[in-house]
Amino acid sequence: MSQSPPFGVILPSRPVITNPITISQTQYAFTIPTLPAFSHLVVFLAPGITLPPSTVAAVYIQFPRAEFKLLGAIGNDKQTAIFRVRDGGDSDRSSGGLDGEEEMMTDVDQPPAVVDGGTSAANLSQEQVTVGISIEPASNVETQLALNAAAAAEKKSSALVLANRNREASPLSTKVLAQRIIKNAFNFLASFAGETRAGEEEMVPLRSFRGWWEKFERRIENDPGFLERQDDM
């Protein structure tokens, strides 16, 4: 490979960084101040640089007091990748820029999280994020990205199951349930009320109430949980 810097990093509102620390012939690192906070990170292969056959440049990130996390990868076929990141580098999925899609991770719109009882603004300004780039076999990186994606999917599934259990364990009170049924009936029957003279009560035909009840029963049968959703009232 050429002796010129093989990779570059771009952060919003900051100069392009093209001076990595050379760890070895296949490993490079960029150190970046945590402030100002950033939510997106661009990594690119420098012009004229070609990676060895069957390899990619795996991109890792390490926030203060956290381990390195694999973000994705760039290569000869995909020379630039955009990553959306947050403190800790957790990812929901990882395509690594190899499939033509931009890599997306969770936002970091705030400064790094408070750790060990508190972090002052002065300390934050001195802390560094490390972006590591390692030239590795493409098959190894793709396998790790697939494992990361599977782990993230399992985590989401577990969280959904837990949320459903919590909802089932905390049913609506009888009072709230009754109020929502009455509100549903009132909203339906109000559309059938006709204009009256001053001082007269509005009258709703009994068949309209039957129509509401039939509609209500059908909805309960098709969507038993709709009363639990306030927006559906």
Side-chain angles (χ1 to χ4, degrees), residues 9 11 16-17 33 52-53 55 65 77 90 108-109 123 130 135 145 178 213 215-216 228:
V9 171
L11 295 175
V16 178
I17 307 171
T55 67
R65 297 169 295 278
D77 295 331
D90 295 335
V108 182
D109 291 326
N123 288 337
T130 300
I135 300 173
L145 290 173
W213 181 248
K215 180 180 177 181
F216 185 80
E228 300 177 13

Side-chain angles (χ1 to χ4, degrees), residues 5-55:
F7 306 104
V9 171
I10 301 174
L11 295 175
S13 303
R14 303 196 198 186
V16 178
I17 307 171
T18 57
N19 55 338
I21 300 170
T22 301
I23 309 300
S24 70
Q25 292 184 345
T26 60
Q27 295 178 314
Y28 303 84
F30 295 86
T31 56
I32 304 167
T34 56
L35 294 181
F38 59 93
S39 60
H40 292 80
L41 171 73
V42 178
V43 180
F44 62 90
L45 193 63
I49 298 298
T50 301
L51 298 180
S54 302
T55 67

Side-chain angles (χ1 to χ4, degrees), residues 54-69:
S54 302
T55 67
V56 294
V59 180
Y60 299 84
I61 193 166
Q62 182 186 44
F63 284 90
R65 297 169 295 278
E67 297 180 353
F68 274 101
K69 298 288 185 180

Side-chain angles (χ1 to χ4, degrees), residues 73 77-78 93-103 142 145:
D77 295 331
K78 176 72 174 179
R93 66 178 182 85
S94 233
S95 63
L98 297 176
D99 60 358
E101 297 294 331
E102 290 184 352
E103 172 61 14
E142 290 170 353
L145 290 173

